[in-house]
Amino acid sequence: MEEPGQLKRAFIDSLAGAIAGGISRTVTSPLDVIKIRFQVQLEPTSSWAVLQRELYAPSKYTGILQASRDIFREEGLPGFWRGNVPALLMYMPYTAIQFTVLHKFKTFAAGSSKTEDHLHLSPYLSYVSGALAGCAATLGSYPFDLLRTILASQGEPKVYPTMRSAFIDIINTRGIQGLYYGLSPTLVEIVPYAGLQFGSYDTLKRWMMEWNRRRSSDLSEIRQDESISSFQLFLCGVTAGAFAKSVCHPLDVVKKRFQIEGLQRHPKYGARIESETYKNMYHALKEIVVKEGWAGLYKGIFPSLVKSAPAAAVTFVSYEYISDWLESTLT
């Protein structure tokens, strides 16, 4: 049986992670909806495609502002939070599991449960801890991620009016294993993504603390302050989130394609992705490049970056402050 201190630490990490994930997810939902609409659209998503109508079918979405106007006009303000309930059901346990497992791995690697000692881990161990935590969180919350993608990708009229109807259709058309459709590319994506995000965040925090220490030593020979401000934490989170997403975005596009493959889709939102369009991850990457060009791998990259960078920052900052508050309250 675990020591009471370890149980308390796990409770703090999971609760702080869940709350931080819920806040971040709700704030950034509009950009996530736009990103998903771009990623599952087979037609080009840039305005230049309008000049090449003879090569492509008309595109539903051709830019972030145009997509925002269309979603608001056709679906109203709630359209920007389409799929947010399964997203919260996915993201809150995801971040809860992720931060809990991350702290466990870091405690094992550092030989200490103190957060300040975790900052002294090598970038390699920070990367590995983040990657393993991301894998554990993905396995624990994936069905909700699938439902979130399906509900967010549809517009009006709705193919699936509720999360329950989407769930039932998946079971009927794909079976129970259908709830984990696209899991393989998701795991392939999450290893570098979570690793880069957490590894970069820890590295940036160490650099920021060193910079604060040097700056304070220049101002005073007596007291050296290396504490990080909220704004500095936010900058670290934004940078780490943007870097990780930029590197791993093509894998996220492939994941979304697998998730909606073979499912119903209203014709006005573009061509449907038929069953068995992609044989495996490598085949999907190749097909996207051949049929949609290299730009196809980066569909939705702009809203993704605009969403992912602040989402990572909000998650990290919220987690740090909520965790500190819970730790002081429960001790």
Side-chain angles (χ1 to χ4, degrees), residues 2-13 103-104 113:
E2 289 187 320
E3 295 292 330
Q6 293 177 309
L7 291 172
K8 184 188 293 184
R9 182 70 247 182
F11 173 75
I12 290 172
D13 289 331
H103 193 274
K104 284 289 185 184
S113 62

Side-chain angles (χ1 to χ4, degrees), residues 4 9 15 22 30 63 74 79 102 127 151 182 191 196 222 242 245 253-254 261 265 271 302-303:
R9 182 70 247 182
L15 182 57
E74 297 172 358
L102 181 71
Y127 174 90
L151 293 179
V191 168
L196 286 173
I222 301 174
K245 181 54 69 176
V253 172
V254 172
E261 188 181 72
R265 181 173 172 81
F302 183 64

Side-chain angles (χ1 to χ4, degrees), residues 175-213:
I176 294 293
Q177 66 271 22
L179 294 174
Y180 288 89
Y181 218 70
L183 178 61
S184 296
T186 301
L187 290 175
V188 172
E189 176 215 3
I190 204 64
V191 168
Y193 179 71
L196 286 173
Q197 188 179 54
F198 282 100
S200 300
Y201 181 69
D202 286 347
T203 299
L204 290 168
K205 278 182 68 177
R206 283 194 293 268
W207 289 352
M208 197 66 74
M209 290 172 67
E210 180 62 28
W211 186 77
N212 287 345
R213 189 185 304 116

Side-chain angles (χ1 to χ4, degrees), residues 33-303:
V33 169
I34 294 172
K35 179 200 75 169
I36 291 174
R37 299 286 176 93
F38 282 5
Q39 289 178 322
V40 301
Q41 179 175 290
L42 297 180
E43 297 76 18
T45 57
S46 57
S47 56
W48 64 264
V50 176
L51 303 175
Q52 301 184 354
R53 291 182 186 274
E54 71 280 2
L55 299 180
Y56 303 104
S59 298
K60 173 64 176 174
Y61 302 117
T62 56
I64 189 169
L65 292 178
Q66 177 268 331
S68 300
R69 288 195 300 268
D70 275 15
I71 291 172
F72 182 73
R73 185 180 67 252
E74 297 172 358
E75 305 167 44
L77 200 58
F80 290 105
W81 277 269
R82 180 148 293 167
N84 195 49
V85 172
L88 286 173
L89 292 174
M90 179 274 291
Y91 208 65
M92 291 181 73
Y94 178 91
T95 49
I97 296 170
Q98 188 176 47
F99 280 106
T100 303
V101 174
L102 181 71
H103 193 274
K104 284 289 185 184
F105 276 121
K106 285 185 173 181
T107 298
F108 175 77
S112 170
S113 62
K114 295 181 179 179
T115 305
E116 53 268 26
D117 292 333
H118 295 174
L119 284 174
H120 300 300
L121 289 173
S122 68
Y124 169 76
L125 287 174
S126 293
Y127 174 90
V128 171
S129 297
L132 292 173
C135 285
T138 298
L139 290 172
S141 60
Y142 187 78
F144 294 109
D145 184 25
L146 178 70
L147 289 169
R148 179 277 303 257
T149 297
I150 291 168
L151 293 179
S153 65
Q154 66 176 359
E156 291 289 349
K158 297 178 183 177
V159 175
Y160 302 109
T162 64
M163 184 168 65
R164 181 175 178 272
S165 64
F167 176 83
I168 291 173
D169 187 59
I170 291 171
I171 297 296
N172 290 336
T173 57
R174 296 177 175 175
I176 294 293
Q177 66 271 22
L179 294 174
Y180 288 89
Y181 218 70
L183 178 61
S184 296
T186 301
L187 290 175
V188 172
E189 176 215 3
I190 204 64
V191 168
Y193 179 71
L196 286 173
Q197 188 179 54
F198 282 100
S200 300
Y201 181 69
D202 286 347
T203 299
L204 290 168
K205 278 182 68 177
R206 283 194 293 268
W207 289 352
M208 197 66 74
M209 290 172 67
E210 180 62 28
W211 186 77
N212 287 345
R213 189 185 304 116
R214 290 180 180 177
R215 187 181 62 172
S216 64
S217 64
D218 291 339
L219 297 175
S220 173
E221 296 182 359
I222 301 174
R223 179 175 171 269
Q224 294 186 1
D225 184 14
E226 62 177 21
S227 58
I228 304 177
S229 67
S230 301
F231 180 69
Q232 289 176 326
L233 284 174
F234 188 83
L235 284 180
C236 291
V238 165
T239 306
F243 175 62
K245 181 54 69 176
S246 297
V247 173
C248 302
H249 187 78
L251 298 175
D252 192 40
V253 172
V254 172
K255 180 188 82 169
K256 295 295 191 297
R257 297 290 180 90
F258 272 108
Q259 287 180 326
I260 70 162
E261 188 181 72
L263 295 177
Q264 301 177 56
R265 181 173 172 81
H266 196 280
K268 78 174 183 178
Y269 289 92
R272 174 187 174 184
I273 301 176
E274 301 296 338
S275 296
E276 299 182 2
T277 297
Y278 307 120
K279 298 176 183 177
N280 50 51
M281 195 166 186
Y282 173 75
H283 181 254
L285 288 167
K286 182 180 177 182
E287 283 292 294
I288 291 172
V289 171
V290 170
K291 295 181 179 178
E292 304 169 47
W294 287 98
L297 296 176
Y298 290 90
K299 283 181 175 178
I301 184 64
F302 183 64

